[in-house]
Amino acid sequence: MTDCFIYDAVRTPRGKGRKDGKLHEVTSLSLATQMLQALRDRNRLDTAKVDDVVMGCVAPVGEQGSDIARIAVLNADYAETVAGVQINRFCASGLEACNMAAAKVMTGEADMAIGGGVESMSRVPMGSDGGAWASDPEIAIKSYFAPQGIGADLIATLGGFSRDDVDAFAVESQKRAARAWAEGRFKPSIVPVKDQLGLTLLDHDEHMRPETTMQSLAALQPSFATPGEYAFDAVVQQRYPQVERLNHVHHAGNSSGVVDGSAGVLFGTREMGAAMGLKPRARVKGFASIGSEPSIMLTGPSFVTEKLLKKLGMSVEDIDLYELNEAFASVVLRYMQVLNIPHEKVNVNGGAIAMGHPLGATGAMLLGTVLDELERTGKQTGLVTLCVGAGMGTATVIERL
């Protein structure tokens, strides 16, 4: 096996995933194209030396369909010899794409590869691709299907997390994100999105609400109480009979935001990097994925973290910084509770509650975020992980050089 190094990481700002969002006029193809062009131009890449581009995309239909990775490669004017493949592991798609790109380098299949993702949630709404799990009784009944928000509320109920607990976490996420932007912590990786005339449309994460308080969140009604009451509470109680009543605590203010965006990470061997005059920024130590109970759905991050750290001969204490996607506040609270990780090491620059979760791109964004923060603080190791639809978890550990 060959060592795999990270040479660069870029991301677009996250635009509100609505028709009035700043990126709504930008196609998924353009978001992915601008990301690839930035990686090329920042690093003066001879793109003929890039073997493959792997991109996550969770709703690969319409303008995001037809293998958007390869189409973006062509649109970005990369060499036509560069391959491209689109993959879908739900919310972990962007990180899985990075892991696949790194694996290609580690096994010798590629000397240089790009992993990343794209999602325009304002143009291709979540769920546009359909699927059997929620609609076919054959699998929905046997797996106790319920929406993710029900799983998040179930986690809160089982973990003893109150409405105040999840709201306080959300307020802190907003504060951390606002501070990170004010201090320029994201600046090294941000690629402003431009229109067809070359004018900047967005250069910051649009979804943030730094003015959020406990009082403003208290005015929001729980998002999943009604679907729970009508059907899904009873479904998950069949799987978890010890739960007498679900405590519905999640709403739009303590859940991940719907946004548009793209991200990419440049991987390669030491030899290829040297040949192209690039300095490695980090080494990929390892990665893993795991399946977890699908009804509660969102507990995978702790299990995959344990699996990966055991595989690497490491402990929880050996990781300096953690990035866990803030799909819902209870997901992160449970992770810290189960693994006994202090909040000071988790999502130190805020997360998806404040900045949003562009499904197919988020994992790659988090990998770039932890790399920048390791360099900023002089810390050594970072772990990125996400909960995943249908009950899974994916994780990656990197080491700063």
Side-chain angles (χ1 to χ4, degrees), residues 65-313:
S66 187
D67 188 358
I68 193 169
R70 171 61 176 169
I71 306 308
V73 163
L74 296 174
N75 199 46
D77 298 316
Y78 273 47
E80 66 178 25
T81 54
V82 181
V85 61
Q86 172 269 324
I87 64 103
N88 180 10
R89 197 189 287 278
F90 297 129
C91 296
S93 297
L95 188 60
E96 184 64 36
C98 289
N99 292 347
M100 288 176 64
K104 287 174 178 286
V105 173
M106 296 166 79
T107 59
E109 180 186 345
D111 295 316
M112 183 160 281
I114 294 170
V118 64
E119 206 82 34
S120 177
M121 300 181 74
S122 70
R123 298 175 66 90
V124 185
M126 182 167 50
S128 295
D129 54 331
W133 189 35
S135 60
D136 188 337
E138 180 178 358
I139 181 61
I141 292 172
K142 73 186 295 184
S143 61
Y144 301 98
F145 169 80
Q148 282 194 353
I150 299 293
D153 286 339
L154 179 57
I155 287 173
T157 302
L158 292 170
F161 306 128
S162 67
R163 171 69 182 258
D164 281 351
D165 291 333
V166 292
D167 282 357
F169 181 88
V171 171
E172 180 64 16
S173 179
Q174 296 283 357
K175 288 181 179 178
R176 292 184 178 194
R179 181 181 66 240
W181 269 103
E183 296 179 0
R185 297 186 187 183
F186 299 128
K187 188 176 180 180
S189 297
I190 291 293
V191 177
V193 177
K194 299 183 178 181
D195 65 13
Q196 293 179 334
L197 299 177
L199 301 176
T200 296
L201 289 171
L202 188 65
D203 60 4
H204 63 280
D205 289 324
E206 188 184 18
H207 184 267
M208 293 191 304
R209 300 182 182 89
E211 71 283 0
T212 298
T213 64
M214 292 291 288
Q215 290 72 26
S216 64
L217 292 184
L220 300 177
Q221 295 299 310
S223 297
F224 306 100
T226 298
E229 177 184 348
Y230 280 112
F232 293 109
D233 284 3
V235 171
V236 296
Q237 284 173 306
Q238 292 180 64
R239 181 63 182 82
Y240 294 86
Q242 70 271 35
V243 175
E244 182 177 346
R245 183 182 64 83
L246 262 71
N247 185 20
H248 291 286
V249 296
H250 288 93
H251 49 74
N254 55 34
S255 307
S256 56
V258 174
V259 294
D260 306 332
S262 183
V265 181
L266 179 63
F267 299 92
T269 62
R270 185 182 294 277
E271 293 76 15
M272 179 55 75
M276 300 186 72
L278 302 176
K279 182 180 178 181
R281 297 172 61 186
R283 181 175 70 90
V284 178
K285 288 181 67 70
F287 38 80
S289 289
I290 198 169
S292 60
E293 200 282 301
S295 186
I296 201 170
M297 199 184 312
L298 308 174
T299 56
S302 67
F303 302 125
V304 76
T305 294
E306 292 171 331
K307 176 181 178 178
L308 180 54
L309 292 180
K310 181 179 180 181
K311 174 182 173 184
L312 296 175

